Amino acid sequence: GRALLILLLSATVSLLGGLIFGYELGIISGALLQLQIDFHLSCFKQEVLVSALLIGALLASLVGGILIDHHGRRRAILVSSLVLLVGSLILTLARSFIGLVIGRMTVGFAISVSSMACCIYVSEMVAAHQRGLLVSLYEAGITVGILLSYALNYIFADVDEGWRYMFGLAIAPTAMQFLSILFLPVNPVKLSSWDSDCQKGLIQLQNTEDRETAKREPYKEKHYSFLDLFRTRDNMRRRTLVGLGLVLFQQFTGQPNVLGYASKIFHSVGFQSNSSAILASVGLGAIKVVATLIAMAFADKAGRRVLLMAGCVVMAISVTTIGLTSCIAPLAMARDCKAAADPNASHSLTQHPLMPVSSQPAVSPILPALGAGKSQAGPGFAATRSLAKAFASTQSKEVVPDSSLTQKRVVIGQAKEETVGSTSPPFGGAPWAEHTVLNWITLLSMMAFVSAFSIGFGPMTWLVLSEIYPAGIRGRAFAFCNSFNWAANLLISLSFLDLIDAIGFSWMFLLYGLMGVMAVIFIYLFVPETKGQSLEEIDQQFSRKR
């Protein structure tokens, strides 16, 4: 009974950690509509507000690893929950722009530490044959959190100062996570030998043979310095290569930006702007949830390698298809950012894509990884508001934290053109009307891409990262890879429009296809299969292998 309770609590911590991460990433899109009016935010200020979360997350991935390794995973989650409560309170009670920025940075710091600690904690807590399921639950939580944030954006869109409720509601799941973890034991891995908890059968860490072996040679936790990540000792350099390769390919296969075209593609197959915005976000969000659940079910049966490679193959085929169809039926590009308070702020757009989604990690654990259709929710609301508000909404929607800027831009472009009758060149029109079949192929490719990401790179990257490092340096190693994840997401989003200007939309997507093929080769050569093995066995497998 106690083992079952621990299993359920571990699952709760993992799910709630992901849910809060996804919610905080998604909620800003709806909150910005109102904040922009209430605080008269210029384009630049909106970008600062949106990127504050990223800056906090990057800081956390630099120092969070030390906290996780030296003070334990459980304490790191407790601390991050408290910091998140403080951040949410600052945001809910904010009276100034500075207050909002500090609140978002605090929240970014907390969700980044929590995302790393949750994955590591849960991977160490549960039996080998359940680890894939329970760590992937984190990614499922992220996708559900994003969908939930859209729903609440929609509900509070017309409420006076509704943004206070949007930010404040994050307090509930945070408090639940804090309480759940209070009942969980300190990690078994931190114990000096396998006696205590595992021996009593509190946590079924291994089967009987494993336990016998563990008794014969007590597991001694080794001590590592950060620089050991780059040395040959215990084959650490190869593990670092695997970790960095996974997080970088997760971003460089184009995930943050492919989603940027979601609403434009929905529009091209005949959905009009307002419905397009909502359909693109909710529809793709729902597809992500379903795909992540499939990944959870198969993580421990099919294995990590199989899901990663299958996901990469499908992603490579889908982006290549989008690239080829767009050669024949080009998609228009818009490049403008205007805020009600600062009509000439178009210069700031280039910095605009500061919003990583990690996947989160991913990031995100991430990281995110999750940018389903975050911003598309925006202009969908415009229909429900007065014209003046709709105008502000279409403008500010641009500055939403989302892995992809363009998405915003696109949606805004449509909404502007249709709701507000702006002078920007229409997005619909000739090139698309003739290519109905190609448009549907593009739409299906996009859905395939989102599903493949949510089955492969989305959950599996974080799962593999939480398994391949020795316990003594797991927190710092995970944080090191995570910082590259945030940085790569930032780079991809920042360079996207410039790259499109330089090489064209079709070539951009064909380049993503090429990266997908390279990712498959990388996974085949370097990433080992870890399903069904205890963390110690994985460690030994790496230490032996040259």
Side-chain angles (χ1 to χ4, degrees):
R2 184 147 178 226
L4 181 67
L5 178 69
I6 283 181
L7 192 69
L8 287 173
L9 284 172
S10 300
T12 309
V13 167
S14 185
L15 186 66
L16 286 173
L19 186 103
I20 298 161
F21 191 96
Y23 181 81
E24 291 291 0
L25 282 168
I27 201 68
I28 189 75
S29 61
L32 258 178
L33 296 183
Q34 301 182 350
L35 290 171
Q36 188 223 14
I37 299 164
D38 293 356
F39 289 86
H40 309 294
L41 300 184
S42 65
C43 224
F44 176 70
K45 281 188 169 178
Q46 293 176 51
E47 284 166 15
V48 169
L49 184 55
V50 161
S51 50
L53 185 92
L54 165 63
I55 295 162
L58 257 175
L59 283 173
S61 56
L62 300 176
V63 299
I66 301 166
L67 173 72
I68 293 168
D69 278 343
H70 292 172
H71 299 284
R73 289 66 160 128
R74 181 171 174 270
R75 197 172 291 164
I77 301 175
L78 285 171
V79 169
S80 71
S81 297
L82 290 174
V83 174
L84 190 59
L85 286 171
V86 172
S88 300
L89 282 171
I90 295 174
L91 283 169
T92 310
L93 307 171
R95 290 265 170 261
S96 67
F97 174 67
I98 299 293
L100 290 171
V101 172
I102 292 171
R104 285 299 281 176
M105 277 182 74
T106 313
V107 164
F109 186 91
I111 61 176
S112 181
V113 172
S114 161
S115 67
M116 299 184 286
C118 280
C119 290
I120 294 174
Y121 184 76
V122 172
S123 77
E124 292 174 348
M125 222 39 222
V126 299
H129 64 277
Q130 294 161 327
R131 199 168 53 235
L133 172 75
L134 287 168
V135 178
S136 306
L137 200 59
Y138 184 84
E139 181 77 13
I142 291 177
T143 53
V144 173
I146 290 173
L147 268 181
L148 179 68
S149 71
Y150 294 151
L152 291 171
N153 279 345
Y154 193 67
I155 291 166
F156 292 115
D158 284 324
V159 176
D160 193 37
E161 294 208 322
W163 56 271
R164 293 191 190 277
Y165 300 102
M166 295 179 196
F167 290 136
L169 281 167
I171 291 172
T174 310
M176 281 168 64
Q177 188 189 30
F178 185 83
L179 293 173
S180 306
I181 199 134
L182 283 178
F183 294 103
L184 278 168
V186 178
N187 265 326
V189 169
K190 284 276 171 225
L191 305 169
S192 52
S193 75
W194 288 113
D195 286 353
S196 49
D197 282 350
C198 318
Q199 206 62 39
K200 294 175 198 134
L202 167 64
I203 300 156
Q204 300 304 316
L205 262 180
Q206 311 114 318
N207 55 30
T208 9
E209 294 160 32
D210 287 345
R211 210 171 286 151
E212 288 310 310
T213 331
K215 266 190 218 162
R216 281 201 300 279
E217 10 170 319
Y219 182 70
K220 293 182 188 62
E221 190 178 314
K222 300 177 188 170
H223 292 284
Y224 293 90
S225 75
F226 179 72
L227 291 174
D228 284 331
L229 284 176
F230 312 100
R231 297 188 179 129
T232 48
R233 173 191 173 187
D234 287 341
N235 230 350
M236 288 299 286
R237 196 182 291 163
R238 177 167 180 258
R239 304 184 204 215
T240 308
L241 172 76
V242 169
L244 285 181
L246 284 175
V247 295
L248 293 175
F249 275 121
Q250 183 188 36
Q251 298 298 333
F252 289 137
T253 42
Q255 187 264 342
N257 294 326
V258 170
L259 295 163
Y261 285 93
S263 115
K264 188 173 282 186
I265 289 168
F266 273 75
H267 190 243
S268 70
V269 291
F271 295 108
Q272 289 316 299
S273 78
N274 292 330
S275 58
S276 147
I278 290 175
L279 272 169
S281 58
V282 175
L284 284 177
I287 290 173
K288 278 179 88 71
V289 173
V290 172
T292 310
L293 294 175
I294 294 171
M296 281 169 54
F298 286 102
D300 293 312
K301 296 188 179 74
R304 288 62 157 150
R305 251 173 84 91
V306 174
L307 290 180
L308 275 167
M309 286 168 67
C312 270
V313 168
V314 175
M315 282 164 71
I317 294 171
S318 341
V319 280
T320 307
T321 310
I322 295 175
L324 293 172
T325 53
S326 64
C327 286
I328 308 166
L331 293 172
M333 275 302 304
R335 220 188 152 138
D336 53 345
C337 161
K338 300 184 187 71
D342 182 4
N344 303 315
S346 55
H347 63 274
S348 54
L349 228 231
T350 36
Q351 308 130 20
H352 179 45
L354 292 178
M355 347 335 0
V357 177
S358 158
S359 341
Q360 180 21 185
V363 44
S364 206
I366 238 336
L367 193 306
L370 19 138
K374 204 144 310 140
S375 59
Q376 283 125 279
F381 309 152
T384 63
R385 318 182 68 168
S386 71
L387 234 142
K389 275 193 183 170
F391 184 70
S393 108
T394 50
Q395 308 296 11
S396 77
K397 209 58 254 143
E398 184 113 50
V399 227
V400 187
D402 186 61
S403 31
S404 54
L405 231 309
T406 24
Q407 200 160 323
K408 250 115 297 170
R409 251 173 242 135
V410 170
V411 178
I412 296 162
Q414 294 164 0
K416 224 186 262 165
E417 164 225 327
E418 287 162 37
T419 2
V420 186
S422 114
T423 52
S424 60
F427 281 87
W432 290 356
E434 309 149 21
H435 301 289
T436 319
V437 177
L438 286 178
N439 291 335
W440 279 102
I441 292 174
T442 310
L443 178 63
L444 293 172
S445 303
M446 164 153 256
M447 290 177 162
F449 182 91
V450 169
S451 313
F453 183 86
S454 300
I455 284 173
F457 270 137
M460 295 304 131
T461 302
W462 309 114
L463 175 56
V464 172
L465 280 181
S466 65
E467 296 174 328
I468 61 176
Y469 295 103
I473 196 173
R474 198 170 285 142
R476 282 163 293 169
F478 200 106
F480 177 69
C481 294
N482 197 23
S483 60
F484 273 83
N485 182 54
W486 289 105
N489 197 310
L490 177 57
L491 176 73
I492 291 278
S493 307
L494 278 172
S495 60
F496 186 56
L497 284 178
D498 299 315
L499 269 172
I500 283 194
D501 284 351
I503 62 174
F505 181 87
S506 306
W507 285 104
M508 185 75 205
F509 274 66
L510 294 173
L511 186 66
Y512 287 150
L514 180 66
M515 292 303 278
V517 173
M518 287 164 65
V520 174
I521 296 168
F522 172 82
I523 293 162
Y524 180 76
L525 294 177
F526 295 105
V527 180
E529 182 51 79
T530 54
K531 71 169 177 183
Q533 299 179 345
S534 71
L535 295 174
E536 291 63 57
E537 289 169 328
I538 295 169
D539 190 20
Q540 286 158 11
Q541 175 188 338
F542 260 105
S543 301
R544 280 194 306 270
K545 233 182 201 169
R546 274 284 163 268

